Amino acid sequence: MDLRIGYGIDVHQLADGHSLFIGGVKIESDFGAVGHSDADVLLHAICDALLGALALRDIGYHFSDSDPQYKGIDSKILLERVHKIIRDKGYEILNIDSTVVLEKPKLSQLIPEIQRTIASVLCISADKVSVKATTHEQVDSFGLGKAIKAYATCLLTKINV
């Protein structure tokens, strides 16, 4: 059995005048994440975990922030493309575990929708996608609401053909 573990992390600054997307879901907020794409920190961390599991570098290597075609792109599209890359390498996702670090807004009520959205993009069942949320207890830039961070791990297995 060929199992691969991947780990990803992503960070974005938060600012007024931007939309906040987490796990492919637009979150009601007075501020949002700053980035070249839609700055979906959770999907970016998951992309990095999936790519990392197969030693395929990171999201920036595959979708450069200096490439205008990715300006404002929906990160669900990037996740779909990463999923195709790992499938083309002969692997499938066994599970994903993730954590979002954000002071506000609170995400607990939105987690089932985020799980379903990620699962839908990856063509897996929602029970294979764990999403947790925590704060930084008002410590550092994350705790002061100036930034958002996400961590993700994944387990892949070789597809038996």
Side-chain angles (χ1 to χ4, degrees):
M1 180 178 269
D2 185 358
L3 298 175
R4 301 289 184 96
I5 296 171
Y7 172 76
I9 182 173
D10 195 42
V11 172
H12 284 276
Q13 179 182 5
L14 294 173
D16 293 336
H18 294 268
S19 296
L20 183 61
F21 291 93
I22 300 175
V25 175
K26 186 171 184 178
I27 309 297
E28 197 67 36
S29 178
D30 295 332
F31 54 85
V34 179
H36 184 70
S37 66
D38 66 4
D40 189 323
V41 69
L42 181 54
L43 294 188
H44 295 180
I46 292 170
C47 285
D48 274 354
L50 294 170
L51 291 166
L54 298 180
L56 296 174
R57 305 203 42 184
D58 60 40
I59 189 173
Y61 176 80
H62 293 271
F63 313 108
S64 173
D65 64 4
S66 64
D67 189 332
Q69 73 175 309
Y70 301 119
K71 179 72 178 161
I73 194 169
D74 183 334
S75 292
K76 292 189 301 289
I77 294 168
L78 302 179
L79 184 59
E80 286 173 348
R81 291 179 184 176
V82 167
H83 186 233
K84 181 177 180 346
I85 291 168
I86 67 164
R87 295 284 298 179
D88 289 349
K89 294 286 186 183
Y91 286 83
E92 66 184 2
I93 299 165
L94 290 179
N95 78 304
I96 293 169
D97 185 27
S98 64
T99 303
V100 177
V101 180
L102 179 68
E103 286 300 306
K104 64 178 184 173
K106 299 297 183 194
L107 300 178
S108 62
Q109 299 300 314
L110 298 167
I111 286 176
E113 180 182 0
I114 293 169
Q115 286 175 284
R116 288 190 303 271
T117 300
I118 295 167
S120 175
V121 171
L122 296 173
C123 304
I124 59 177
S125 61
D127 67 346
K128 292 185 175 189
V129 180
S130 169
V131 177
K132 302 175 302 296
T134 190
T135 68
H136 255 219
E137 301 295 332
Q138 300 180 342
V139 175
D140 70 22
S141 60
F142 302 101
L144 295 175
K146 296 180 180 181
I148 183 172
K149 175 170 40 178
Y151 301 96
T153 58
C154 68
L155 181 62
L156 306 182
T157 187
K158 188 79 169 168
I159 299 168
N160 294 325
V161 200

